[in-house]
Structures are given as C-alpha cells and as structure tokens.
Amino acid sequence: MSRLFLVLLLVGCFALPGQSFGAERRENVLAGKRLFNSYCMLCHGEDGRGGGPLANKIKLKSPVADLTVDKYQQMSVEKLLLLIEGYNRKETLMPKWEKIIPEKNLRSIAGYILMFTQKDLRMRGDARRGREIFRQSCVACHGARGKGNGVLAQVLGVKMIDYTSRSLSKITDEEIITTITNGKGEFMPSWSGTLSSEEIKDVASYIRTMFGK
Ligand code: HEC
Ligand code: HEC
C-alpha cells in the first residue's frame, strides 16, 4: 500500500505543472470559447476588451466591461461565475445568464475568460483546428511532421527549423505568430491575407503542441 501511495504521490507531483493543460480542462476551455463567441462576443469582443460589434453599434448606457483587466483576471472561477450568473444591477444591458445558460456551461465560459491574459499558446489556440490548417497550407514546405523536409522545400532548396527538434523552444510564441502573419526571409509566405488572426493562433498552437515547447 505504501508503495502505491508513493507512486500516486509521484504521479501527482509530476502532473501538477501540466495540470492547467490537462485534457479535460482543455476541452472545457474550448467549449467555453465557443460559447463565449456565441453569447458574449457581440458585446465584449473576441478578445474580451469590450469592443464587440454590438457594443459599437448601439449606444450603451454603461460601457461594456473590459474582461481582461486584473479585477476580473485575478478572480477565481467561482467568483467570476457569480458575477456572470447573478448579475442583476438595474438598467444595464448585461443579461442575467443564470436563467439562459446552464451553470456547467457558464463555468466553462468563466474558465475561458480567465485565459484571456494567459500567455501559453497551447491553450490560447485550438490546436485541433490548427492541425487541419497545417495539413492544408504548410506541409508542402514544412513536411507532414514539421521536420522541414516537405517536397517544396527540397525543390526550392531552402532550410528551415525542424519543429520536432529543440531549436523551436528558443523562439517565443509571439515570434511564431509574427512569422506566420508577416512571413520571413525569401520563402516563408505571409499568411495574414489568407488566414484570420484566430486561425494563425490555431496553427501556431498546433506547432507548439506537436513539436515541443
Ligand atoms: C448585450 C451586451 C452584452 C452581452 C451579450 C454580454 N454582456 Fe457582459 N456586460 C455588458 C455590459 C454593458 C457590462 C457592464 C455593465 C455594468 O457594469 O453595469 C457587462 C459586464 C460584464 C461583467 C462584469 C460584471 C461586474 O459586475 O463587474 C462580466 C463578468 C460579464 N459582463 C460577462 C459576460 C459573459 C460571460 C457574457 C456571455 C455569456 C456576457 N457578459 C454577455 C454587456 C453584455
Ligand atoms: C513556400 C514554403 C513555405 C510554406 C508553404 C510555409 N512555410 Fe513556414 N517557413 C518557410 C521557410 C523557408 C522558413 C524559414 C525562414 C527563415 O528563417 O528565413 C519558414 C519559417 C517558419 C516559421 C518560423 C521558424 C523560424 O525560423 O523563425 C514558422 C513558425 C512557420 N514557418 C510556420 C508556417 C506555417 C504555420 C505555415 C502554413 C500556414 C507555413 N510556415 C508555410 C517556408 C514555408
């Protein structure tokens, strides 16, 4: 029994740093993202700063709250959930979500809101969607496994980073996004006209997820 306990303890220790990246948590965050974009984005904006299309359209009596400020970002999920659910100040356009969306889903939304200032690309993007984009637009050069040996790379005779190697860990998340957005060097195309900023985040997230951090 004591050996089992030790094993559990060790597993617990090693699981801890990666906990925020656990599969279940990730699913919830992604569900929260979808819900947020359906129900909240109109007013709060895709980035949560309060500049959604509806907020700009109608003259709101009170400005839409910026959900990326410390006041909200440092709240626990529970506290934020209460604000979203039981929000009942008079004369505001912020709906009382308690009666509209089941609590389980509101909890996912709250979890997602708390990711707004999260820096970890693997959480910020949707790697599953990113994989589809990568397969469609990037493999010709970067290769199916991201090793930098796609057919086009061989034809053009260009060298690029092997994503499966450690070298990618020297590049920051922002650099990855900037390179995909603006292109780099002679052959890495700019994708800003082809992919939305959301899709760029997704494919960057996939690169990080698959090829090490
Ligand atoms: C019709 C526009 C609109 C929609 C849709 C909307 N909000 Fe709001 N929200 C507001 C406004 C306006 C405020 C600021 C109101 C105030 O401070 O009186 C606000 C404030 C908030 C606050 C801060 C509350 C506080 O007490 O500080 C949170 C959290 C929030 N919204 C979350 C959400 C979530 C989550 C959703 C989607 C499920 C959502 N909102 C959808 C307009 C909206
Ligand atoms: C025509 C070939 C080509 C295609 C297609 C291509 N890339 Fe690249 N990519 C390159 C080359 C060449 C480099 C190296 C550029 C340099 O270092 O000068 C590069 C570099 C990068 C880097 C940065 C690594 C570094 O060196 O800083 C990222 C991230 C990247 N590409 C992502 C993508 C994504 C995502 C796609 C698909 C949406 C894509 N690339 C499609 C050729 C390509």
Side-chain angles (χ1 to χ4, degrees):
M1 127 79 201
S2 66
R3 194 189 271 176
L4 178 66
F5 180 72
L6 194 68
V7 168
L8 287 177
L9 196 70
L10 280 173
V11 167
C13 288
F14 286 117
L16 216 60
Q19 207 171 39
S20 64
F21 190 41
E24 195 193 341
R25 173 99 196 275
R26 188 173 172 90
E27 280 310 308
N28 288 342
V29 168
L30 290 178
K33 178 179 182 170
R34 279 191 290 275
L35 290 160
F36 183 90
N37 284 338
S38 303
Y39 295 104
C40 322
M41 185 274 275
L42 271 175
C43 291
H44 287 279
E46 207 175 321
D47 59 5
R49 288 184 195 280
L54 190 57
N56 298 334
K57 183 100 183 147
I58 48 175
K59 287 248 181 301
L60 296 177
K61 294 196 184 90
S62 51
V64 176
D66 178 352
L67 302 176
T68 66
V69 297
D70 283 354
K71 178 181 164 196
Y72 301 117
Q73 290 297 313
Q74 264 148 42
M75 275 179 186
S76 62
V77 171
E78 293 306 321
K79 250 186 121 182
L80 187 59
L81 185 62
L82 284 180
L83 279 189
I84 299 169
E85 274 186 337
Y87 196 76
N88 57 359
R89 247 187 278 165
K90 57 177 165 59
E91 303 264 345
T92 124
L93 281 168
M94 167 70 180
K96 293 181 197 174
W97 292 104
E98 190 179 15
K99 299 195 175 61
I100 308 171
I101 301 178
E103 177 174 314
K104 180 174 158 281
N105 291 349
L106 287 178
R107 194 178 290 277
S108 299
I109 295 177
Y112 173 63
I113 289 175
L114 294 177
M115 302 299 303
F116 278 143
T117 47
Q118 160 73 245
K119 293 278 189 288
D120 189 338
L121 240 192
R122 293 174 299 176
M123 292 301 287
R124 276 160 58 208
D126 182 342
R128 221 173 339 169
R129 214 164 59 144
R131 185 174 59 189
E132 295 310 313
I133 297 167
F134 190 84
R135 282 182 178 161
Q136 204 174 317
S137 307
C138 321
V139 290
C141 290
H142 288 279
R145 297 187 193 287
K147 283 181 169 299
N149 59 356
V151 280
L152 209 47
Q154 293 172 29
V155 172
L156 298 171
V158 290
K159 285 225 177 323
M160 63 199 84
I161 287 183
D162 175 355
Y163 289 154
T164 60
S165 77
R166 285 237 148 247
S167 46
L168 195 66
S169 63
K170 299 197 192 91
I171 302 177
T172 68
D173 289 346
E174 291 318 316
E175 280 168 337
I176 291 181
I177 287 183
T178 305
T179 301
I180 299 172
T181 306
N182 302 332
K184 191 177 173 188
E186 211 180 340
F187 292 111
M188 169 63 185
S190 152
W191 294 93
S192 59
T194 316
L195 302 174
S196 70
S197 59
E198 199 64 16
E199 288 169 330
I200 288 176
K201 222 187 289 171
D202 293 340
V203 73
S205 164
Y206 172 66
I207 288 173
R208 267 293 190 241
T209 309
M210 298 309 289
F211 307 120
K213 168 100 184 162

